[in-house]
Amino acid sequence: MCNFYGHKVDKMNFIRLNNIELELGYIAAIEELQELINGFNYGKAPVIRKKNESSYEVVPMHWEFIPFWIKTMEQVQQARRQGIPWLNASSEKLLESKMFRDAALKRRCLVLVSHFFEWRSFKPATKKKENKYPYCIELNNKEYFFMAGIWQPFTDKETGETMDTFAIVTTEANDLMKRIHNKKQRMPTILPAALAAEWIQEGLSEKRIKEIASYQLPAEQMEAWTVARDFIKTIDPSKEVAYAEIPPLYE
């Protein structure tokens, strides 16, 4: 799962994909680049998709994949009240699900990220019940990286409002993420540059879509540290905060 992620705003003016440089200035100007993006705020975030044969575009999209059978924002609100967040799409079900299949085949995208957040469950000896400890996860020596995504256009049949919506693809956790996200043991599908560029090309076979969607970034390419329990409300959500009661991830 991935419900919180962010950007190192001060360092991200340009990004490079498949030897093409993309400017992020206009995205930053409308505040889509943020240190923390909370999926449950259902806001916008920068997403990369294929523009034409030889170029890409960075566009702000609504983070909440709205299925084709939803006709109005009121129906979206009803689904939220029922506890159905459409923030992630499981790689194992991507092509089997009627909700995600068409987008997986035709509308793949990349989600631009500097870091993401996940919780580790642990019961300290001094506590009566299990607690959750948040971690910030980044890639070694990378200012940004790409998560696999899929996107879907939505039109509210009552108001006529239109927007593009997206979900982050998730896969089975690697060794590091199994230790952090130790209950559900999932992680976002993080793609190295070559796979990222391939993911948004047209004409991929179903077999290749499944292969890339389930790609598991090696644990040794990632680093993680604990952050404040209320990191969602802090000025610097990725700042390290130590907890004496929990053991290190690797002993």
Side-chain angles (χ1 to χ4, degrees):
M1 297 173 66
C2 181
N3 298 327
F4 302 89
Y5 70 91
H7 309 104
K8 293 181 178 177
V9 181
D10 59 332
K11 295 184 178 181
M12 299 180 69
N13 295 315
F14 297 90
I15 62 169
R16 184 172 293 275
L17 177 63
N18 206 23
N19 295 320
I20 297 175
E21 194 170 71
L22 303 173
E23 184 177 2
L24 296 177
Y26 78 98
I27 291 288
I30 57 175
E31 300 181 345
E32 300 322 356
L33 289 177
Q34 302 172 48
E35 185 74 15
L36 174 69
I37 297 177
N38 181 343
F40 299 107
N41 287 339
Y42 304 108
K44 290 184 177 181
V47 172
I48 302 162
R49 64 185 176 189
K50 193 78 181 289
K51 185 176 182 179
N52 54 44
E53 185 71 22
S54 58
S55 65
Y56 310 97
E57 61 181 353
V58 185
V59 294
M61 287 191 189
H62 175 85
W63 186 13
E64 178 186 31
F65 189 97
I66 301 179
F68 64 86
W69 61 80
I70 296 293
K71 304 303 180 185
T72 67
M73 281 304 298
E74 175 55 32
Q75 292 179 348
V76 173
Q77 296 285 354
Q78 290 174 4
R80 291 177 188 169
R81 288 192 288 269
Q82 294 170 16
I84 309 175
W86 295 313
L87 302 178
N88 299 153
S90 169
S91 60
E92 294 86 347
K93 300 178 181 178
L94 208 55
L95 293 173
E96 283 66 40
S97 166
K98 66 176 182 178
M99 178 173 172
F100 299 128
R101 179 177 170 81
D102 192 59
L105 290 172
K106 302 175 184 176
R107 294 183 299 279
R108 297 180 300 278
C109 60
L110 298 170
V111 183
L112 181 65
V113 182
S114 291
H115 45 244
F116 66 100
F117 301 85
E118 198 52 83
W119 277 264
R120 176 188 183 188
S121 296
F122 181 75
K123 182 182 178 300
T126 57
K127 303 291 183 180
K128 292 184 178 180
K129 58 183 181 179
E130 196 170 68
N131 285 339
K132 288 187 175 182
Y133 299 85
Y135 282 73
C136 179
I137 302 99
E138 293 185 356
L139 267 59
N140 299 332
N141 304 312
K142 295 283 188 181
E143 292 182 359
Y144 61 85
F145 54 93
F146 305 107
M147 293 180 179
I150 54 174
W151 67 277
Q152 173 96 338
F154 169 73
T155 300
D156 188 315
K157 300 304 181 185
E158 289 185 350
T159 66
E161 177 189 7
T162 62
M163 60 182 176
D164 290 336
T165 73
F166 77 94
I168 292 171
V169 178
T170 66
T171 188
E172 182 181 351
N174 62 22
D175 183 61
L176 174 67
M177 290 307 300
K178 283 179 180 178
R179 295 166 186 264
I180 296 174
H181 199 200
N182 54 350
K183 289 296 186 181
K184 296 188 177 180
Q185 299 196 344
R186 303 290 296 175
M187 65 180 281
T189 299
I190 300 170
L191 300 177
L195 286 183
E198 185 180 359
W199 176 250
I200 55 177
Q201 301 305 313
E202 297 178 357
L204 288 188
S205 67
E206 292 193 20
K207 179 176 181 293
R208 189 56 178 156
I209 291 172
K210 289 181 179 179
E211 289 174 347
I212 299 177
S214 60
Y215 176 80
Q216 191 183 82
L217 190 78
E220 57 268 24
Q221 295 184 26
M222 305 168 73
E223 56 183 330
W225 58 90
T226 47
V227 296
R229 281 203 176 92
D230 62 346
F231 72 91
I232 297 172
K233 301 177 182 179
T234 62
I235 296 175
D236 184 2
S238 62
K239 180 180 179 180
E240 184 171 7
V241 174
Y243 298 92
E245 69 268 27
I246 61 172
L249 291 170
Y250 293 93
E251 294 186 287

